[in-house]
Amino acid sequence: MAGLGDQGQTIAGWGNIGVPGHEVLSERLERASADAVLSRGLGRSYGDSALPPPSSREVLGTRLADRILSFDPASGRLRAEAGLSLHELNRLLLRRGYFTPVTPGTQFVTLGGMVAADVHGKNHHVAGCFGSDHTRMVRLRVADGRILEVTRESHPDLFYATCGGMGLTGHILEVELDLKRIPSPWIYAESRRIADIDEFLAALAEYERFPYVVGWIDCLSRGRKMGRGILDGGRWATAAEAGAKPLPKVPSPSVPLMFPNWVLNDLTAKAFNTLYYWKHLAKEKKGLRHPDSFFYPLDMIRHWNRIYGRKGFTQYQCVIPEDSGRDGVVRFLEALTAMGGASFLCVIKSCGPESKGTLSFPRRGTTIALDIPARSGTQALVDALNRVLLDEGGRIYLAKDTFTRAEDFRRMDPRLEQFQAVRDVWDPERKLRSAQSVRLFGDPE
Amino acid sequence: MRVAILGATQGMGRAIARLLAERGDQVFVLGIEPEELARTSADLQAHSPSHMPVGAALCDLADPSTFAAALDAAEADLGDVECVVVTAAIFATQDTLEEDLDRTELLLRLNFTNTVVFCEHVRRRLLQRGGGTLCVFSSVAGDRGRKPVVLYGAAKAGLSHYLEGLDHRHHEDGLRVITVKPGFVKTGMTAGLKPPPFAGEPVAVAASVVRAIDRGTPVVYAPGIWRLVMLVICALPRFIMRKVGF
Ligand SMILES: Cc1cc2nc3c(=O)[nH]c(=O)nc-3n(C[C@H](O)[C@H](O)[C@H](O)COP(=O)(O)OP(=O)(O)OC[C@H]3O[C@@H](n4cnc5c(N)ncnc54)[C@H](O)[C@@H]3O)c2cc1C
Ligand SMILES: NC(=O)c1ccc[n+]([C@@H]2O[C@H](COP(=O)([O-])OP(=O)(O)OC[C@H]3O[C@@H](n4cnc5c(N)ncnc54)[C@H](OP(=O)(O)O)[C@@H]3O)[C@@H](O)[C@H]2O)c1
């Protein structure tokens, strides 16, 4: 990677809050990772996880390294280069009866990014995380230059630190996992309109009969209507339910330009939330759904992040532990609505047990995710939310974070010490680092 | 269709090979590194709906003595080769080449002389079987001498010229010659460069190239807008070309 300079470029996560720097794409990860400080997939992490540290300004872009190295149509075992996107995998294998065991809410992510963030999906309560619970092997370029095949058996510490380790343990070159057989490419789904938070929490528990569950709440409504929203549950349709219906291709229009910053304000957010709620006129809906609209509703509009304008936005995602119970969730929502954290989308779901990934985000409890436009008050809002979260004993998700302070993160996630201990073994000099690890983990600039 | 591809391990060649494999065409890949060829074969097999294995053979543009054996291997594997696609080439910036005569010599030899020699092997074989398609990647850089691509552009100009002549001479004999002229496309070849407006994606280029192969379209600009851009650039008077940077 010849020093090309920045040519005035900036690089940003999905939240569009940029830093000086650029991405160097390569199809040959083995060669290109030799002296890179960080790998970056499709840049769908919202904050600074996939951004270079200030002194380096260059990350290795993996998305062209996307070959499938082996696929066994009988067992579903797949080995592929780390830049392969979930979108491509779904396009090829859904119709052949295979699906990833865990999917995030967008398919524009790479296998490497899915392992590095140890992503969770609507099925977390039954399936856990992508990396620590389903990945069999990662081929990893570690800081001293060696390339290792890392499994839970061969290097347990390194394997679990890599799952959820946000690229800080090594460059993932290849990923091996077993895909899940599905009975048809269609989803059978039920959804329900829900009046308030108590009904929501009860329905979330009831919907756990579905392998896939997620809810959306209107976080702008206060008082009696606080926590109203829509709950979605689903499972793969059986072959009989689906019939022989092939999946149609879904068109995906794009937001062509950055919106001006004023477009998104409290008023438009409120209107959107109200509309979304009443769009679900019937109390309950049931039937077959296209997997794209079920799993990836936001992918329907490409570049939707541009509606937040040039100043960008952040997503605040936290998990409130089960011990805090209903009251913990209510306290958090009350704090949020009181602070007027206008949000287009606020997503809620129950998480299953904590995975073994050293820094994996999910733990048993309720996770809430909300988009917040970046403005002058955003830092204060995140700080305030983090104070509430710390009182509940919860933690935030690194893949979404831009504003959390190092001391708050350390208090939320005591596992950081264990993670740093693994890095001390494999990368004592902190050759591998990101803008986020400089901000949160005290890495050298 | 049965297609042999030189350059399928990366970039636009990879995208074309995938598209063909995905729609059930039989492909065979030619390249320099056995390990890379094996990985590409596996990928193409996974893209094929019937999970068809994909064969490979060594073929080095730098070494014309490998050409005949490589094409023999393709014929043996596919039974009959109906179409040959050449995307392989090397690139270096004008600044780099001006500092390095050895590299200049290599680039001119690979991208012009040896590519033409490879095409001559293919021409004979296709004519012998009564026709077929030869699809070769040149570049918009060959349309006019320009500051940033004096040497690379010269080799591509020569190649475009050869391909056009070949089309004129052998169209009646059933030889379909397709000259692809990409503009800036985001592949490993251009990874270090800042993408200009209208930069293309390999997958979109592949779709238009496969369409051209199916229809026998002789010249393809990809992305298509470059046809217009080059029309304008070729019409600009010399005194302007001396002033501007492109
Ligand atoms: C609309 C939307 C919905 C989402 N929904 C969910 C969800 O439901 N659940 C969930 O868990 N997440 C969700 N996410 C977050 C997303 O899944 C993660 O941020 C994921 O890591 C993005 O993958 P990527 O390939 O874009 O990685 P990037 O964003 O490019 O990188 C993310 C991290 O992975 C590291 N990384 C990437 N590739 C490699 C590699 N080859 N080797 C080593 N490290 C690597 C980077 O250094 C960085 O730390 C969502 C994001 C969006 C935009
Ligand atoms: N990208 C652009 O913007 C652009 C613009 C105009 C024209 N073009 C032309 O379009 C074509 C494809 O470009 P691309 O961007 O797809 O290129 P690329 O990504 O760099 O791929 C080049 C391919 O050529 C192969 N190759 C290199 N040297 C070789 C040799 N000595 N023998 C055999 N194969 C060799 C490579 O094989 P390995 O994998 O083994 O290295 C690789 O498969 C080229 O002819 C290029 O000049 C490209």
Side-chain angles (χ1 to χ4, degrees):
Chain A
M1 291 192 280
L4 294 153
D6 286 335
Q7 301 168 326
Q9 296 177 72
T10 59
I11 181 168
W14 188 242
N16 274 329
I17 299 177
V19 301
H22 61 267
E23 160 183 66
V24 175
L25 292 172
S26 175
E27 279 155 311
R28 300 278 186 90
L29 296 187
E30 194 167 319
R31 196 158 58 191
S33 59
D35 42 35
V37 298
L38 191 73
S39 281
R40 170 183 170 100
L42 278 161
R44 257 32 177 220
S45 48
Y46 282 69
D48 50 5
S49 321
L51 306 187
S55 61
S56 139
R57 298 197 164 186
E58 189 169 287
V59 290
L60 164 59
T62 64
R63 66 187 153 84
L64 295 181
D66 64 348
R67 283 179 291 193
I68 295 177
L69 301 174
S70 65
F71 173 64
D72 178 354
S75 71
R77 181 156 301 174
L78 173 92
R79 182 175 175 136
E81 292 173 340
L84 179 67
S85 75
L86 185 53
H87 176 258
E88 186 64 6
L89 196 67
N90 287 343
R91 197 179 62 78
L92 286 174
L93 298 182
L94 207 58
R95 55 170 185 238
R96 288 201 235 161
Y98 281 106
F99 191 65
T100 175
V102 167
T103 176
T106 170
Q107 49 185 337
F108 298 108
V109 292
T110 62
L111 294 182
M114 288 167 76
V115 172
D118 209 11
V119 298
H120 61 277
K122 292 179 173 195
N123 59 353
H124 185 265
H125 57 293
V126 289
C129 293
F130 181 81
S132 46
D133 295 308
H134 296 281
T135 297
R136 294 175 46 85
M137 184 276 319
V138 289
R139 192 150 176 267
L140 195 69
R141 155 93 65 185
V142 290
D144 68 9
R146 275 180 298 162
I147 293 178
L148 307 170
E149 304 229 323
V150 181
T151 66
R152 11 176 106 56
E153 293 80 30
S154 71
H155 310 76
D157 287 357
L158 185 58
F159 180 84
Y160 287 115
T162 299
C163 299
M166 308 311 288
L168 302 172
T169 58
H171 300 277
I172 301 168
L173 310 178
E174 292 168 19
V175 175
E176 185 177 279
L177 77 150
D178 287 331
L179 298 174
K180 189 181 141 67
R181 255 240 169 266
I182 50 174
S184 83
W186 289 89
I187 291 287
Y188 169 82
E190 291 184 11
S191 60
R192 193 184 289 176
R193 183 160 48 79
I194 288 180
D196 62 32
I197 189 64
D198 283 314
E199 188 185 338
F200 219 118
L201 293 172
L204 267 175
E206 186 215 318
Y207 264 47
E208 282 190 13
R209 64 191 153 93
F210 287 110
Y212 299 108
V213 186
V214 74
W216 162 87
I217 48 183
D218 170 0
C219 356
L220 300 176
S221 291
R222 304 167 71 159
R224 256 189 322 111
K225 285 192 279 185
M226 189 186 72
R228 71 171 182 178
I230 313 286
L231 184 62
D232 237 3
R235 57 167 169 77
W236 291 101
T238 61
E241 285 168 332
K245 228 163 89 176
L247 284 180
K249 207 176 138 46
V250 191
S252 56
S254 161
V255 177
L257 293 168
M258 273 297 177
F259 276 25
N261 290 315
W262 53 261
V263 170
L264 196 91
N265 55 40
D266 293 10
L267 225 98
T268 45
K270 182 126 194 140
F272 175 85
N273 275 275
T274 307
L275 249 167
Y276 197 92
Y277 182 72
W278 287 111
K279 210 185 95 196
H280 202 283
L281 254 185
K283 178 77 183 162
E284 197 142 35
K285 290 190 200 170
K286 298 179 180 187
L288 288 188
R289 291 254 299 270
H290 194 292
D292 283 359
S293 90
F294 182 76
F295 289 113
Y296 314 115
L298 288 168
D299 288 350
M300 302 271 169
I301 300 169
R302 299 276 182 117
H303 305 296
W304 62 263
N305 55 344
R306 291 177 177 162
I307 63 172
Y308 284 93
R310 284 191 196 289
K311 290 188 191 155
F313 71 112
T314 183
Q315 182 168 95
Y316 186 84
Q317 180 169 7
C318 64
V319 54
I320 298 161
E322 200 176 32
D323 302 341
S324 290
R326 173 230 175 237
D327 292 349
V329 177
V330 171
R331 279 192 295 270
F332 182 84
L333 286 178
E334 270 168 354
L336 174 67
T337 49
M339 286 180 272
S343 179
F344 250 145
L345 269 182
C346 181
V347 173
I348 184 167
K349 89 161 254 92
S350 308
C351 289
E354 184 169 282
S355 297
K356 283 194 182 166
T358 317
L359 279 187
S360 280
F361 161 70
R363 59 181 288 186
R364 220 182 251 293
T366 306
T367 172
I368 294 178
L370 46 131
D371 291 351
I372 304 172
R375 294 181 187 157
S376 52
T378 307
Q379 179 68 55
L381 177 61
V382 171
D383 287 343
L385 291 175
N386 279 340
R387 271 194 299 279
V388 180
L389 186 64
L390 275 162
D391 286 343
E392 303 299 340
R395 62 183 178 229
I396 54 122
Y397 187 11
L398 289 172
K400 309 288 178 79
D401 186 58
T402 312
F403 290 98
T404 294
R405 294 179 193 271
E407 58 275 21
D408 287 343
F409 185 76
R410 249 178 238 129
R411 284 170 62 208
M412 279 172 202
D413 210 333
R415 301 173 305 171
L416 180 58
E417 226 170 276
Q418 193 188 334
F419 181 70
Q420 296 289 51
V422 178
R423 289 177 84 202
D424 289 341
V425 174
W426 293 96
D427 183 15
E429 263 132 50
R430 303 293 191 256
K431 180 183 164 208
L432 306 175
R433 57 201 201 285
S434 62
Q436 187 169 62
S437 76
V438 170
R439 174 170 63 87
L440 286 180
F441 303 171
D443 284 358
E445 293 220 335
Chain B
M1 198 170 35
R2 298 158 195 213
V3 192
I5 308 179
L6 177 59
T9 44
Q10 291 190 44
M12 293 182 261
R14 177 191 293 189
I16 291 170
R18 279 180 170 172
L19 203 63
L20 294 171
E22 230 179 290
R23 62 176 206 178
D25 290 327
Q26 247 176 292
V27 291
F28 188 88
V29 294
L30 305 172
I32 15 177
E33 285 175 53
E35 167 70 17
E36 285 301 306
L37 286 170
R39 292 165 78 95
T40 291
S41 294
D43 180 59
L44 294 172
Q45 179 172 14
H47 277 73
S48 138
S50 55
H51 215 66
M52 202 180 338
V54 170
L58 293 180
C59 181
D60 185 353
L61 258 190
D63 180 5
S65 73
T66 60
F67 296 171
L71 289 165
D72 285 346
E75 273 165 19
D77 183 82
L78 297 175
D80 175 28
V81 179
E82 297 161 84
C83 174
V84 176
V85 179
V86 183
T87 63
I90 56 175
F91 177 79
T93 62
Q94 181 63 17
D95 290 343
T96 311
L97 292 172
E98 284 181 0
E99 295 301 309
D100 189 341
L101 258 185
D102 288 342
R103 197 140 161 201
T104 300
E105 188 275 332
L106 180 73
L107 182 135
L108 295 175
R109 181 154 53 86
L110 258 63
N111 291 4
F112 178 68
T113 313
N114 291 2
T115 303
V116 171
V117 170
F118 182 81
C119 291
E120 282 298 291
H121 278 267
V122 175
R123 173 185 62 78
R124 285 193 205 154
R125 288 168 192 244
L126 289 180
L127 286 175
Q128 217 161 39
R129 68 178 285 282
T133 304
L134 171 62
C135 172
V136 184
F137 275 58
S138 181
S139 170
V140 295
D143 279 10
R144 187 162 195 197
R146 290 186 289 123
K147 286 180 184 173
V149 283
V150 176
L151 290 157
Y152 172 81
K156 290 294 193 184
L159 181 60
S160 294
H161 215 76
Y162 160 76
L163 293 167
E164 179 171 6
L166 205 59
D167 174 56
H168 296 167
R169 187 173 165 89
H170 292 293
H171 190 84
E172 296 236 311
D173 309 324
L175 187 68
R176 295 288 166 267
V177 180
I178 293 164
T179 307
V180 183
K181 298 181 175 179
F184 191 104
V185 180
K186 292 183 217 160
T187 66
M189 187 176 270
T190 53
L193 311 171
K194 188 174 178 177
F198 324 124
E201 294 288 342
V203 174
V205 172
S208 63
V209 170
V210 170
R211 205 177 319 120
I213 292 175
D214 288 342
R215 296 182 185 165
T217 316
V219 178
V220 187
Y221 284 84
I225 178 87
W226 283 89
R227 182 184 290 274
L228 219 74
V229 174
M230 292 320 292
L231 201 72
V232 173
I233 289 183
C234 290
L236 290 176
R238 189 176 284 261
F239 76 89
I240 293 186
M241 291 303 284
R242 285 184 183 144
K243 289 269 182 302
V244 296
F246 50 81

